[in-house]
Amino acid sequence: MRRIGRRRFLKLAGITALAGATWSMAPTVPLLAAQNAAAPRPVTVPPPPPRPVVGLQSAASLDTPLPLPGDHSFMGLMDGGARIELSATSDPRLPTDDIPPAPPLCLETEHARRPYWNPTLVLQRGASLRVRLVNRLDAPTLLRWHGLLADWRMGGHPVMMLLPGASFEYRVTLRNRAGIYPYHAIAPGFSGRQTHQGMVGLCIVDDEEERAALATMDIEPLGAGGTGAFRASLPAPGSGPSDVPLLFQDRRLDRHGVPVYAPGLDDRISGLVGDVLTVNGVAGARLDVVTRMYRLRLVNMCNARILHVGLARSDGTPQPFTLMGTDGGMLQRPLPLQRLFLGPGERADILVDLRAANPDDAWHLVNLPFDPMRRAGSASGGAGAPGEGEAARLLRLRVVQRVDYDLPLPVRLCDFPAMPPLPQGPPRRLHVSRGEVLGRPSWLLNGQPFALRHDTDADLPDGFPALRVPGRTTETWELSNDAASIPHALHLSGFQLRVLERRDSPPQVAALAVAPSGCSATDSGIKDTVLVWPGETVRVLVDFRDASPGTQRAALYSRVLECLDDGMVQDVSVP
């Protein structure tokens, strides 16, 4: 690890020119960058060629074929157990036969002499993930392996940012249950821009328990057939993918349809909500289906937008669906639903039964109307685009054929992990309130901005602003949000949560409660990200018992990336 001076670090990182880098800096401590390059250097990156979002012309009719992970470049399936080198770049190789094209910023690699960007990594539980990140951008970057149980350096703590020209190898032995664990850029001050511009991908963990549950419904898990087994259109009657990941992102666009990130003050306070919502990289997506059961894997990787997901026929008639899993994998039993909220960073696996549909029918995954509770105006969407809380169609399910399918929904999915022991004593209280950093309004956790110090040490000195966990046990936390705030999806890196109670929830949230505790169906699983609405208090159980060896330095932060960039991060020290 090479020490660099504070002035050189600020010059390389561009922090002095970045409106929004408002973390608390400690000038007396040498600043370091997480890297193994001998000499980090500024990188001159040519401007990328214009690459408009695909599907804008047909977005209203939802007729753009949904790209699915396969042997093509974008989101292509790759064996995550093999050593992979990802290059963060704004100038990827551009094969002409792939849809969609690479986003303005992407994570590029190569397989069988073909470029891949933002690959979908598929691994078995217990396998080792090895990814070397090379920063070919002209700004710092960092990958966050969202939800993975990992050593704090390997999971992507905000202090481990990578300077231009540097590289770092992430090594994680997968202890997580089967589930989707997305990865994305998270360098403080740059996470909003780099994620919005395209540096997002999926890591899918598979295990025998999940495969057994899916087999009872004749659902083939993604990647079971190897790279190229899944296609965007049905190759033969009655075939095609039955396990479908849906990666949601919204973007602001210029007049050419090219994503552009230029947040205003309201966006920095309330989070940036884009002009157009994309699914797997395209607008107006369509998936061809048959009359059987499907697993749709919803992944919200928007910067700030909340989704209020429902299912409807083409005439708007609501249809039920079934919740199968959340952030940390399958539930014990499937739960029937009509709708669910999905905050940034949250995931939900739902089962959609199309046996009641007929050929040529069109069902839609929809965004149902709701109050986004953003008071600074950034939830309005762009000109002609639906706002965050407005009704909108997210994905068209075009029924192309009737097939014989008579398998029942299983009553039980898995042996769900037991609830960790509840600790004695009062909970640890963490409150989101409005503060001021460097003369500008910002949201803060317990009134403390992030103390960004690139010492990359796990042992934090006395007096360093951090949450200090006394031992490797469990803790109860109360996460409360100011009534005048915005919704914050709070994420804890490297550890998992159980939601115990919701209090003072807004009516639209309280209406989804399935227990006297106020918890909704999506609260019943294992979580790593919890959506806390204005005026609400959410009590969670945090499990530190299975922490990685050595002192750990986790991070609790808002997954509203503009708020993260403005310092809404707290270090968590675990001995």
Side-chain angles (χ1 to χ4, degrees), residues 86-143:
L86 291 178
S87 293
T89 179
S90 63
D91 187 27
R93 296 169 56 190
L94 295 174
T96 59
D97 58 343
D98 263 10
I99 296 295
L105 299 179
C106 65
L107 296 152
E108 185 178 47
T109 189
E110 185 176 281
H111 175 67
R113 298 184 179 179
R114 185 184 184 95
Y116 282 65
W117 46 78
N118 301 357
T120 299
L121 308 179
V122 181
L123 301 97
Q124 300 293 316
R125 184 179 186 181
S128 294
L129 173 72
R130 292 186 64 193
V131 174
R132 180 173 179 259
L133 176 65
V134 181
N135 186 6
R136 303 192 189 282
L137 302 174
D138 56 2
T141 194
L142 165 71
L143 280 187

Side-chain angles (χ1 to χ4, degrees), residues 401-419:
Q401 183 182 353
R402 175 164 293 282
V403 298
D404 292 330
Y405 183 87
D406 59 0
L407 297 176
L409 188 70
V411 175
R412 182 184 178 90
L413 294 170
C414 66
D415 292 326
F416 193 71
M419 176 70 76

Side-chain angles (χ1 to χ4, degrees), residues 429-489:
R429 292 181 170 85
L430 297 160
H431 183 65
V432 176
S433 60
R434 192 160 182 166
E436 189 174 277
V437 180
L438 298 184
R440 198 175 68 195
S442 180
W443 300 110
L444 301 175
L445 284 163
N446 283 357
Q448 176 64 53
F450 183 36
L452 179 69
R453 295 164 33 133
H454 284 264
D455 50 25
T456 66
D457 286 336
D459 294 312
L460 301 176
D462 294 339
F464 188 90
L467 308 178
R468 299 177 188 271
V469 176
R472 297 192 171 208
T473 180
T474 58
E475 282 199 357
T476 304
W477 290 4
E478 279 198 347
L479 309 173
S480 60
N481 197 356
D482 192 89
S485 181
I486 65 169
H488 284 284

Side-chain angles (χ1 to χ4, degrees), residues 18 53 105 126 155 180 193 238 242 270 293 323 333 345 377 381 398 405 433 485 497:
L18 179 70
V53 168
L105 299 179
I180 286 193
R193 176 182 303 277
S242 52
S270 290
M293 189 86 71
L323 183 67
R333 293 179 176 84
R398 185 176 70 174
Y405 183 87
S433 60
S485 181
L497 317 168

